Amino acid sequence: MADSMKVLVTGAAGQIAYSLVIAVAKGDVFGKDKPITLVLLDIPPMMEVLEGVVLELNDCALPLLREVIATADVAEAFKDIDAAMLVGAMPRREGMERKDLLAANVKIFKEQGAALDQHSKKTVKVVVVGNPANTNALIASHYAPSIPKKNFSCLTRLDQNRAQSLVAHRIGIPNSDVKNVIIWGNHSSTQFPDVRHAKAVIGGKVVAVPDAVKDDSYLKNDFIKTVQQRGAAVIKLRKLSSAMSAAKATCDHMHDWFSGTGDSWVSMGVISDGNSYGIPEGLMYSFPVKIQNGNWQIVQGLDINDFSRAKMDATAKELLEEKAMALAACQG
Ligand code: NAD
Ligand code: LMR
């Protein structure tokens, strides 16, 4: 449909997608005035479940939803899309690290990268959610050479939201009164949630988060570990990985990419340029970004102390290792 935005969700019969597709179709992501054509991709054995999701979407009688295309055909799914939310991949189970999924999942992103290259608009914006998200996004971009690397990203917004909420609870203020929490690096247990540059609004006054929390030991230890291990904590309790919060974070990520961030920053996994914070070029690394007119820019010039430097380098090292493993797996 000419006037609608064409949005692809992969893994559309899965648990994250079940919360995600309704938010997209309701206009929570791309705007309340933007008609949507929703493309839902899953694998052939899941087509019956997917048909059920389509019935439910229709039964919502949504004003903005113009058309739903449910398919197991990759070429059909990626055709002329404006936005891609690449969720479809195996989730980890208790006791696994996200990178243990690499061998199983990375080939999905090789195939989908090639499909983006061949079939999608060159302006498509891509967020990868399926784990290991950073490296999968890097692989998708690698196999889509005709699409600018800046159009690829991975989700670290869930980590940002987790960190923001923990800090807001600790201070005793609403979540919306904490800004500019940063997630550096990999969406993994080496990620570095950093509140040194974050701000809290307390009684109408803007205060640095470390001054508001007044507990450096907490911020350097338990806080970081809690964010790093939050995905595992949810899996242990639910026996399934986080879904509602992952869908919400995916919506936040795409919403801000399309609508802008104003004066605040958000964290996104984006391609490193080799000129930002000493992170090697060519990694899908989570940085603080500001977004205007659909374009993100890494926030530059933040002071990095020795504590932060060590953590930022450790997560970059893990991404370098994952990149080598993923490229080898794709060639094998
Ligand atoms: P799920 O198992 O409920 O759903 C995954 C769906 O993907 C299934 O329906 C499956 O059939 C489908 N799928 C598998 N291969 C596919 C392919 N080649 N093409 C299209 N669809 C395919 O899993 P879920 O809970 O929805 O999680 C999906 C992924 O998201 C997992 O890898 C999980 O680890 C990851 N995740 C990431 C974050 C994040 O913050 N980055 C957060 C939560 C979960
Ligand atoms: C999360 O952070 O909740 C997801 O990446 C799922 C997981 O494996 O932890």
Side-chain angles (χ1 to χ4, degrees), residues 10-17 41-43 46 87-93 101 105 108 111-112 128-131 133 155-156 158-159 162 187 241-243 246:
T10 72
Q15 51 150 5
I16 294 176
L41 177 72
D42 213 293
I43 52 176
M46 296 305 287
V87 179
M90 187 195 286
R92 68 173 164 153
R93 301 284 176 211
L101 299 167
N105 285 343
I108 297 175
E111 183 194 23
Q112 294 183 356
V128 173
V129 177
N131 279 318
L155 189 72
T156 55
L158 177 53
D159 309 292
R162 287 165 171 164
H187 173 64
S241 63
S242 47

Side-chain angles (χ1 to χ4, degrees), residues 8-26:
L8 167 65
V9 176
T10 72
Q15 51 150 5
I16 294 176
Y18 196 67
S19 296
L20 181 57
V21 294
I22 178 67
V24 172
K26 267 172 51 213

